[in-house]
Amino acid sequence: MESFKKVETADGSFTLYNAAFGESYHSVSAGALEESLKKFLLPSNLLWKAQSQREIYLLEVGFGLGYNLSVTAVKLKEVNPKLKLHYFGLDYRIVPLIRDLKLPPPYGEFYEKLKGELLERGKTTFEVENVRVTILLGDARKKVQELKGLNFDAVYHDAFSPKRNTELWTLEFLKLLKELMKGDAFWVSYSTALPVRRALWELGFKIFNTQPVGRKSPGTAATLEGIPLSNRVYPLSEKEIQKLLNSPKAVPYRDPCLCLPREKILEDYLRRVNSA
């Protein structure tokens, strides 16, 4: 059974601790809203795309508490009030306890409308202001395949950590995300795990660091053809590249059938690391 605990983060906003995964939904030391803005929105190039595009398509792996969507929707509207945002979120469930969470201005009004549609009306497809929201509930490995034919401007990868939620960080799952991305789209995440970065590398992505938020380690941004426009994105050092290519731990998590339990994926990963 899942159990949750409300936790205050460094910027004064609250997140939830999920005991089943042994992790919080956001960085407590960074601040939940700070993480949404600086780990996801700013490195994604979406603020710059909003200046010239009429529509933006955003995919998020791990809808979670809805903070990333709320911050992105409000900030993009500030740049272009007429922008249409098409948001698709993947998660295994909607957390009922989000009804007890509040966000400060300027995000609070949008967040309350979002929660109203999800909880009071029980919808997973709806429109809030200029945002078309679609939440696909269930195994993300299966649900993402329902999105074939769409082309996303950015992917927020915000599942629980690779060691806790391994099935959503495999080379095969990342390949499915790649197939949905525009050439200049950015994949962004808080994770810098070597198996994840190596999978992105093998899939042909250019990999970048993002500026740390509340901790020493950076996040990751990756793109096939895009150019970073945020000063929060910078290239990997030569030392980081060599570690990515040569460390025995830098082998991707594998899930060829997109059906393996995380324990089996981790077991296979450790076997390959130890035999390297």
PDB file of all heavy atoms in Angstrom, residues 54-85:
ATOM      1  N   ARG A  54       2.669  29.059 -32.433  1.00  0.00           N
ATOM      2  CA  ARG A  54       1.277  29.202 -32.000  1.00  0.00           C
ATOM      3  C   ARG A  54       0.854  28.051 -31.094  1.00  0.00           C
ATOM      4  O   ARG A  54      -0.050  28.191 -30.284  1.00  0.00           O
ATOM      5  CB  ARG A  54       0.356  29.273 -33.222  1.00  0.00           C
ATOM      6  CG  ARG A  54       0.626  30.471 -34.125  1.00  0.00           C
ATOM      7  CD  ARG A  54      -0.224  30.430 -35.376  1.00  0.00           C
ATOM      8  NE  ARG A  54      -1.646  30.447 -35.061  1.00  0.00           N
ATOM      9  CZ  ARG A  54      -2.606  30.339 -35.970  1.00  0.00           C
ATOM     10  NH1 ARG A  54      -2.293  30.195 -37.253  1.00  0.00           N
ATOM     11  NH2 ARG A  54      -3.880  30.383 -35.612  1.00  0.00           N
ATOM     12  N   GLU A  55       1.520  26.892 -31.263  1.00  0.00           N
ATOM     13  CA  GLU A  55       1.201  25.713 -30.475  1.00  0.00           C
ATOM     14  C   GLU A  55       2.481  25.034 -30.007  1.00  0.00           C
ATOM     15  O   GLU A  55       3.487  25.052 -30.719  1.00  0.00           O
ATOM     16  CB  GLU A  55       0.383  24.710 -31.294  1.00  0.00           C
ATOM     17  CG  GLU A  55      -0.986  25.208 -31.721  1.00  0.00           C
ATOM     18  CD  GLU A  55      -1.766  24.134 -32.447  1.00  0.00           C
ATOM     19  OE1 GLU A  55      -1.212  23.532 -33.383  1.00  0.00           O
ATOM     20  OE2 GLU A  55      -2.931  23.899 -32.081  1.00  0.00           O
ATOM     21  N   ILE A  56       2.435  24.440 -28.840  1.00  0.00           N
ATOM     22  CA  ILE A  56       3.561  23.676 -28.301  1.00  0.00           C
ATOM     23  C   ILE A  56       3.031  22.351 -27.770  1.00  0.00           C
ATOM     24  O   ILE A  56       1.983  22.311 -27.112  1.00  0.00           O
ATOM     25  CB  ILE A  56       4.287  24.461 -27.186  1.00  0.00           C
ATOM     26  CG1 ILE A  56       5.228  25.504 -27.805  1.00  0.00           C
ATOM     27  CG2 ILE A  56       5.064  23.532 -26.255  1.00  0.00           C
ATOM     28  CD1 ILE A  56       5.928  26.387 -26.799  1.00  0.00           C
ATOM     29  N   TYR A  57       3.779  21.279 -28.061  1.00  0.00           N
ATOM     30  CA  TYR A  57       3.440  19.949 -27.571  1.00  0.00           C
ATOM     31  C   TYR A  57       4.486  19.520 -26.544  1.00  0.00           C
ATOM     32  O   TYR A  57       5.679  19.511 -26.832  1.00  0.00           O
ATOM     33  CB  TYR A  57       3.390  18.945 -28.729  1.00  0.00           C
ATOM     34  CG  TYR A  57       2.114  19.026 -29.539  1.00  0.00           C
ATOM     35  CD1 TYR A  57       1.924  20.041 -30.469  1.00  0.00           C
ATOM     36  CD2 TYR A  57       1.088  18.095 -29.350  1.00  0.00           C
ATOM     37  CE1 TYR A  57       0.739  20.131 -31.206  1.00  0.00           C
ATOM     38  CE2 TYR A  57      -0.087  18.175 -30.080  1.00  0.00           C
ATOM     39  CZ  TYR A  57      -0.253  19.188 -30.999  1.00  0.00           C
ATOM     40  OH  TYR A  57      -1.430  19.276 -31.723  1.00  0.00           O
ATOM     41  N   LEU A  58       4.015  19.165 -25.357  1.00  0.00           N
ATOM     42  CA  LEU A  58       4.894  18.782 -24.250  1.00  0.00           C
ATOM     43  C   LEU A  58       4.480  17.421 -23.717  1.00  0.00           C
ATOM     44  O   LEU A  58       3.308  17.187 -23.424  1.00  0.00           O
ATOM     45  CB  LEU A  58       4.797  19.821 -23.129  1.00  0.00           C
ATOM     46  CG  LEU A  58       5.465  19.467 -21.783  1.00  0.00           C
ATOM     47  CD1 LEU A  58       6.964  19.268 -21.943  1.00  0.00           C
ATOM     48  CD2 LEU A  58       5.165  20.545 -20.751  1.00  0.00           C
ATOM     49  N   LEU A  59       5.451  16.522 -23.576  1.00  0.00           N
ATOM     50  CA  LEU A  59       5.234  15.211 -22.986  1.00  0.00           C
ATOM     51  C   LEU A  59       5.983  15.135 -21.661  1.00  0.00           C
ATOM     52  O   LEU A  59       7.159  15.515 -21.592  1.00  0.00           O
ATOM     53  CB  LEU A  59       5.741  14.108 -23.924  1.00  0.00           C
ATOM     54  CG  LEU A  59       5.752  12.674 -23.386  1.00  0.00           C
ATOM     55  CD1 LEU A  59       4.355  12.206 -23.012  1.00  0.00           C
ATOM     56  CD2 LEU A  59       6.388  11.730 -24.406  1.00  0.00           C
ATOM     57  N   GLU A  60       5.312  14.633 -20.618  1.00  0.00           N
ATOM     58  CA  GLU A  60       5.967  14.465 -19.322  1.00  0.00           C
ATOM     59  C   GLU A  60       5.846  13.024 -18.860  1.00  0.00           C
ATOM     60  O   GLU A  60       4.744  12.473 -18.780  1.00  0.00           O
ATOM     61  CB  GLU A  60       5.360  15.387 -18.269  1.00  0.00           C
ATOM     62  CG  GLU A  60       6.043  15.246 -16.909  1.00  0.00           C
ATOM     63  CD  GLU A  60       5.673  16.326 -15.924  1.00  0.00           C
ATOM     64  OE1 GLU A  60       4.543  16.851 -16.000  1.00  0.00           O
ATOM     65  OE2 GLU A  60       6.521  16.649 -15.070  1.00  0.00           O
ATOM     66  N   VAL A  61       6.984  12.434 -18.542  1.00  0.00           N
ATOM     67  CA  VAL A  61       7.021  11.098 -17.946  1.00  0.00           C
ATOM     68  C   VAL A  61       6.987  11.287 -16.439  1.00  0.00           C
ATOM     69  O   VAL A  61       7.987  11.674 -15.831  1.00  0.00           O
ATOM     70  CB  VAL A  61       8.288  10.327 -18.372  1.00  0.00           C
ATOM     71  CG1 VAL A  61       8.292   8.939 -17.738  1.00  0.00           C
ATOM     72  CG2 VAL A  61       8.384  10.230 -19.883  1.00  0.00           C
ATOM     73  N   GLY A  62       5.834  11.052 -15.847  1.00  0.00           N
ATOM     74  CA  GLY A  62       5.665  11.278 -14.421  1.00  0.00           C
ATOM     75  C   GLY A  62       4.912  12.567 -14.153  1.00  0.00           C
ATOM     76  O   GLY A  62       5.514  13.583 -13.790  1.00  0.00           O
ATOM     77  N   PHE A  63       3.591  12.556 -14.343  1.00  0.00           N
ATOM     78  CA  PHE A  63       2.775  13.747 -14.055  1.00  0.00           C
ATOM     79  C   PHE A  63       2.921  14.161 -12.599  1.00  0.00           C
ATOM     80  O   PHE A  63       2.961  15.345 -12.270  1.00  0.00           O
ATOM     81  CB  PHE A  63       1.306  13.455 -14.385  1.00  0.00           C
ATOM     82  CG  PHE A  63       0.357  14.496 -13.887  1.00  0.00           C
ATOM     83  CD1 PHE A  63       0.241  15.711 -14.530  1.00  0.00           C
ATOM     84  CD2 PHE A  63      -0.424  14.268 -12.749  1.00  0.00           C
ATOM     85  CE1 PHE A  63      -0.641  16.689 -14.066  1.00  0.00           C
ATOM     86  CE2 PHE A  63      -1.297  15.226 -12.272  1.00  0.00           C
ATOM     87  CZ  PHE A  63      -1.411  16.439 -12.940  1.00  0.00           C
ATOM     88  N   GLY A  64       3.018  13.168 -11.721  1.00  0.00           N
ATOM     89  CA  GLY A  64       3.273  13.445 -10.312  1.00  0.00           C
ATOM     90  C   GLY A  64       2.196  14.274  -9.655  1.00  0.00           C
ATOM     91  O   GLY A  64       1.019  13.904  -9.647  1.00  0.00           O
ATOM     92  N   LEU A  65       2.570  15.442  -9.135  1.00  0.00           N
ATOM     93  CA  LEU A  65       1.639  16.317  -8.426  1.00  0.00           C
ATOM     94  C   LEU A  65       1.125  17.439  -9.308  1.00  0.00           C
ATOM     95  O   LEU A  65       0.324  18.262  -8.863  1.00  0.00           O
ATOM     96  CB  LEU A  65       2.319  16.906  -7.178  1.00  0.00           C
ATOM     97  CG  LEU A  65       3.007  15.901  -6.254  1.00  0.00           C
ATOM     98  CD1 LEU A  65       3.585  16.610  -5.039  1.00  0.00           C
ATOM     99  CD2 LEU A  65       2.057  14.784  -5.832  1.00  0.00           C
ATOM    100  N   GLY A  66       1.613  17.513 -10.549  1.00  0.00           N
ATOM    101  CA  GLY A  66       1.138  18.532 -11.477  1.00  0.00           C
ATOM    102  C   GLY A  66       1.869  19.856 -11.412  1.00  0.00           C
ATOM    103  O   GLY A  66       1.478  20.827 -12.071  1.00  0.00           O
ATOM    104  N   TYR A  67       2.963  19.917 -10.659  1.00  0.00           N
ATOM    105  CA  TYR A  67       3.680  21.179 -10.515  1.00  0.00           C
ATOM    106  C   TYR A  67       4.375  21.598 -11.814  1.00  0.00           C
ATOM    107  O   TYR A  67       4.350  22.777 -12.198  1.00  0.00           O
ATOM    108  CB  TYR A  67       4.728  21.080  -9.408  1.00  0.00           C
ATOM    109  CG  TYR A  67       4.193  21.052  -8.002  1.00  0.00           C
ATOM    110  CD1 TYR A  67       2.844  20.890  -7.723  1.00  0.00           C
ATOM    111  CD2 TYR A  67       5.059  21.166  -6.916  1.00  0.00           C
ATOM    112  CE1 TYR A  67       2.371  20.852  -6.423  1.00  0.00           C
ATOM    113  CE2 TYR A  67       4.606  21.139  -5.610  1.00  0.00           C
ATOM    114  CZ  TYR A  67       3.258  20.975  -5.364  1.00  0.00           C
ATOM    115  OH  TYR A  67       2.804  20.940  -4.070  1.00  0.00           O
ATOM    116  N   ASN A  68       5.044  20.654 -12.479  1.00  0.00           N
ATOM    117  CA  ASN A  68       5.758  21.014 -13.706  1.00  0.00           C
ATOM    118  C   ASN A  68       4.802  21.578 -14.749  1.00  0.00           C
ATOM    119  O   ASN A  68       5.118  22.551 -15.444  1.00  0.00           O
ATOM    120  CB  ASN A  68       6.487  19.800 -14.279  1.00  0.00           C
ATOM    121  CG  ASN A  68       7.685  19.391 -13.451  1.00  0.00           C
ATOM    122  OD1 ASN A  68       8.164  20.138 -12.609  1.00  0.00           O
ATOM    123  ND2 ASN A  68       8.180  18.180 -13.680  1.00  0.00           N
ATOM    124  N   LEU A  69       3.638  20.955 -14.886  1.00  0.00           N
ATOM    125  CA  LEU A  69       2.636  21.458 -15.829  1.00  0.00           C
ATOM    126  C   LEU A  69       2.182  22.853 -15.434  1.00  0.00           C
ATOM    127  O   LEU A  69       2.089  23.751 -16.283  1.00  0.00           O
ATOM    128  CB  LEU A  69       1.445  20.504 -15.883  1.00  0.00           C
ATOM    129  CG  LEU A  69       0.199  21.025 -16.604  1.00  0.00           C
ATOM    130  CD1 LEU A  69       0.518  21.436 -18.042  1.00  0.00           C
ATOM    131  CD2 LEU A  69      -0.917  19.989 -16.574  1.00  0.00           C
ATOM    132  N   SER A  70       1.900  23.066 -14.165  1.00  0.00           N
ATOM    133  CA  SER A  70       1.386  24.359 -13.714  1.00  0.00           C
ATOM    134  C   SER A  70       2.402  25.476 -13.955  1.00  0.00           C
ATOM    135  O   SER A  70       2.059  26.548 -14.465  1.00  0.00           O
ATOM    136  CB  SER A  70       1.008  24.291 -12.229  1.00  0.00           C
ATOM    137  OG  SER A  70      -0.006  23.335 -12.031  1.00  0.00           O
ATOM    138  N   VAL A  71       3.656  25.245 -13.579  1.00  0.00           N
ATOM    139  CA  VAL A  71       4.698  26.256 -13.779  1.00  0.00           C
ATOM    140  C   VAL A  71       4.890  26.536 -15.269  1.00  0.00           C
ATOM    141  O   VAL A  71       4.967  27.698 -15.695  1.00  0.00           O
ATOM    142  CB  VAL A  71       6.018  25.800 -13.132  1.00  0.00           C
ATOM    143  CG1 VAL A  71       7.175  26.711 -13.554  1.00  0.00           C
ATOM    144  CG2 VAL A  71       5.879  25.785 -11.609  1.00  0.00           C
ATOM    145  N   THR A  72       4.940  25.486 -16.073  1.00  0.00           N
ATOM    146  CA  THR A  72       5.152  25.661 -17.506  1.00  0.00           C
ATOM    147  C   THR A  72       3.996  26.410 -18.142  1.00  0.00           C
ATOM    148  O   THR A  72       4.204  27.349 -18.928  1.00  0.00           O
ATOM    149  CB  THR A  72       5.332  24.287 -18.185  1.00  0.00           C
ATOM    150  OG1 THR A  72       6.509  23.667 -17.674  1.00  0.00           O
ATOM    151  CG2 THR A  72       5.450  24.423 -19.694  1.00  0.00           C
ATOM    152  N   ALA A  73       2.768  26.030 -17.820  1.00  0.00           N
ATOM    153  CA  ALA A  73       1.597  26.671 -18.419  1.00  0.00           C
ATOM    154  C   ALA A  73       1.553  28.166 -18.108  1.00  0.00           C
ATOM    155  O   ALA A  73       1.308  29.002 -18.992  1.00  0.00           O
ATOM    156  CB  ALA A  73       0.324  25.995 -17.927  1.00  0.00           C
ATOM    157  N   VAL A  74       1.797  28.518 -16.859  1.00  0.00           N
ATOM    158  CA  VAL A  74       1.725  29.927 -16.449  1.00  0.00           C
ATOM    159  C   VAL A  74       2.844  30.736 -17.097  1.00  0.00           C
ATOM    160  O   VAL A  74       2.620  31.841 -17.616  1.00  0.00           O
ATOM    161  CB  VAL A  74       1.776  30.042 -14.917  1.00  0.00           C
ATOM    162  CG1 VAL A  74       1.956  31.497 -14.480  1.00  0.00           C
ATOM    163  CG2 VAL A  74       0.508  29.446 -14.310  1.00  0.00           C
ATOM    164  N   LYS A  75       4.066  30.198 -17.091  1.00  0.00           N
ATOM    165  CA  LYS A  75       5.204  30.940 -17.642  1.00  0.00           C
ATOM    166  C   LYS A  75       5.101  31.091 -19.157  1.00  0.00           C
ATOM    167  O   LYS A  75       5.465  32.136 -19.714  1.00  0.00           O
ATOM    168  CB  LYS A  75       6.507  30.247 -17.256  1.00  0.00           C
ATOM    169  CG  LYS A  75       6.873  30.370 -15.786  1.00  0.00           C
ATOM    170  CD  LYS A  75       7.077  31.830 -15.396  1.00  0.00           C
ATOM    171  CE  LYS A  75       7.526  31.979 -13.953  1.00  0.00           C
ATOM    172  NZ  LYS A  75       7.691  33.410 -13.574  1.00  0.00           N
ATOM    173  N   LEU A  76       4.614  30.065 -19.853  1.00  0.00           N
ATOM    174  CA  LEU A  76       4.455  30.185 -21.304  1.00  0.00           C
ATOM    175  C   LEU A  76       3.379  31.202 -21.660  1.00  0.00           C
ATOM    176  O   LEU A  76       3.498  31.941 -22.641  1.00  0.00           O
ATOM    177  CB  LEU A  76       4.121  28.828 -21.914  1.00  0.00           C
ATOM    178  CG  LEU A  76       5.218  27.761 -21.884  1.00  0.00           C
ATOM    179  CD1 LEU A  76       4.744  26.494 -22.603  1.00  0.00           C
ATOM    180  CD2 LEU A  76       6.511  28.258 -22.513  1.00  0.00           C
ATOM    181  N   LYS A  77       2.331  31.251 -20.855  1.00  0.00           N
ATOM    182  CA  LYS A  77       1.265  32.231 -21.101  1.00  0.00           C
ATOM    183  C   LYS A  77       1.774  33.647 -20.901  1.00  0.00           C
ATOM    184  O   LYS A  77       1.321  34.573 -21.577  1.00  0.00           O
ATOM    185  CB  LYS A  77       0.082  31.946 -20.170  1.00  0.00           C
ATOM    186  CG  LYS A  77      -1.144  32.791 -20.477  1.00  0.00           C
ATOM    187  CD  LYS A  77      -2.321  32.403 -19.597  1.00  0.00           C
ATOM    188  CE  LYS A  77      -3.550  33.239 -19.945  1.00  0.00           C
ATOM    189  NZ  LYS A  77      -4.711  32.876 -19.093  1.00  0.00           N
ATOM    190  N   GLU A  78       2.707  33.845 -19.975  1.00  0.00           N
ATOM    191  CA  GLU A  78       3.292  35.172 -19.776  1.00  0.00           C
ATOM    192  C   GLU A  78       4.051  35.614 -21.020  1.00  0.00           C
ATOM    193  O   GLU A  78       4.063  36.799 -21.372  1.00  0.00           O
ATOM    194  CB  GLU A  78       4.235  35.159 -18.572  1.00  0.00           C
ATOM    195  CG  GLU A  78       3.521  35.019 -17.229  1.00  0.00           C
ATOM    196  CD  GLU A  78       4.473  34.923 -16.056  1.00  0.00           C
ATOM    197  OE1 GLU A  78       5.703  34.925 -16.283  1.00  0.00           O
ATOM    198  OE2 GLU A  78       3.986  34.832 -14.912  1.00  0.00           O
ATOM    199  N   VAL A  79       4.687  34.665 -21.707  1.00  0.00           N
ATOM    200  CA  VAL A  79       5.443  34.977 -22.922  1.00  0.00           C
ATOM    201  C   VAL A  79       4.502  35.207 -24.104  1.00  0.00           C
ATOM    202  O   VAL A  79       4.690  36.128 -24.903  1.00  0.00           O
ATOM    203  CB  VAL A  79       6.427  33.835 -23.245  1.00  0.00           C
ATOM    204  CG1 VAL A  79       7.091  34.056 -24.607  1.00  0.00           C
ATOM    205  CG2 VAL A  79       7.480  33.727 -22.157  1.00  0.00           C
ATOM    206  N   ASN A  80       3.485  34.343 -24.224  1.00  0.00           N
ATOM    207  CA  ASN A  80       2.570  34.413 -25.369  1.00  0.00           C
ATOM    208  C   ASN A  80       1.164  34.051 -24.891  1.00  0.00           C
ATOM    209  O   ASN A  80       0.818  32.877 -24.810  1.00  0.00           O
ATOM    210  CB  ASN A  80       3.029  33.455 -26.466  1.00  0.00           C
ATOM    211  CG  ASN A  80       2.141  33.508 -27.697  1.00  0.00           C
ATOM    212  OD1 ASN A  80       1.124  34.203 -27.720  1.00  0.00           O
ATOM    213  ND2 ASN A  80       2.517  32.770 -28.728  1.00  0.00           N
ATOM    214  N   PRO A  81       0.331  35.046 -24.576  1.00  0.00           N
ATOM    215  CA  PRO A  81      -1.012  34.780 -24.051  1.00  0.00           C
ATOM    216  C   PRO A  81      -1.897  33.972 -24.999  1.00  0.00           C
ATOM    217  O   PRO A  81      -2.863  33.350 -24.557  1.00  0.00           O
ATOM    218  CB  PRO A  81      -1.597  36.181 -23.829  1.00  0.00           C
ATOM    219  CG  PRO A  81      -0.405  37.068 -23.690  1.00  0.00           C
ATOM    220  CD  PRO A  81       0.638  36.491 -24.602  1.00  0.00           C
ATOM    221  N   LYS A  82      -1.597  33.984 -26.296  1.00  0.00           N
ATOM    222  CA  LYS A  82      -2.419  33.279 -27.273  1.00  0.00           C
ATOM    223  C   LYS A  82      -1.916  31.866 -27.564  1.00  0.00           C
ATOM    224  O   LYS A  82      -2.511  31.136 -28.359  1.00  0.00           O
ATOM    225  CB  LYS A  82      -2.477  34.075 -28.569  1.00  0.00           C
ATOM    226  CG  LYS A  82      -3.163  35.425 -28.423  1.00  0.00           C
ATOM    227  CD  LYS A  82      -3.238  36.153 -29.761  1.00  0.00           C
ATOM    228  CE  LYS A  82      -3.950  37.492 -29.609  1.00  0.00           C
ATOM    229  NZ  LYS A  82      -4.039  38.220 -30.909  1.00  0.00           N
ATOM    230  N   LEU A  83      -0.822  31.469 -26.921  1.00  0.00           N
ATOM    231  CA  LEU A  83      -0.227  30.159 -27.182  1.00  0.00           C
ATOM    232  C   LEU A  83      -1.161  29.035 -26.763  1.00  0.00           C
ATOM    233  O   LEU A  83      -1.809  29.094 -25.714  1.00  0.00           O
ATOM    234  CB  LEU A  83       1.090  30.024 -26.416  1.00  0.00           C
ATOM    235  CG  LEU A  83       1.830  28.692 -26.571  1.00  0.00           C
ATOM    236  CD1 LEU A  83       2.528  28.617 -27.912  1.00  0.00           C
ATOM    237  CD2 LEU A  83       2.828  28.494 -25.437  1.00  0.00           C
ATOM    238  N   LYS A  84      -1.223  27.985 -27.563  1.00  0.00           N
ATOM    239  CA  LYS A  84      -1.957  26.771 -27.230  1.00  0.00           C
ATOM    240  C   LYS A  84      -0.950  25.708 -26.808  1.00  0.00           C
ATOM    241  O   LYS A  84      -0.065  25.328 -27.586  1.00  0.00           O
ATOM    242  CB  LYS A  84      -2.747  26.275 -28.436  1.00  0.00           C
ATOM    243  CG  LYS A  84      -3.599  25.040 -28.165  1.00  0.00           C
ATOM    244  CD  LYS A  84      -4.843  25.388 -27.384  1.00  0.00           C
ATOM    245  CE  LYS A  84      -5.783  24.198 -27.294  1.00  0.00           C
ATOM    246  NZ  LYS A  84      -7.029  24.535 -26.570  1.00  0.00           N
ATOM    247  N   LEU A  85      -1.062  25.237 -25.565  1.00  0.00           N
ATOM    248  CA  LEU A  85      -0.180  24.191 -25.055  1.00  0.00           C
ATOM    249  C   LEU A  85      -0.936  22.868 -25.044  1.00  0.00           C
ATOM    250  O   LEU A  85      -2.008  22.757 -24.451  1.00  0.00           O
ATOM    251  CB  LEU A  85       0.303  24.527 -23.642  1.00  0.00           C
ATOM    252  CG  LEU A  85       1.132  23.457 -22.917  1.00  0.00           C
ATOM    253  CD1 LEU A  85       2.413  23.150 -23.676  1.00  0.00           C
ATOM    254  CD2 LEU A  85       1.437  23.886 -21.479  1.00  0.00           C
TER     255      LEU A  85
END
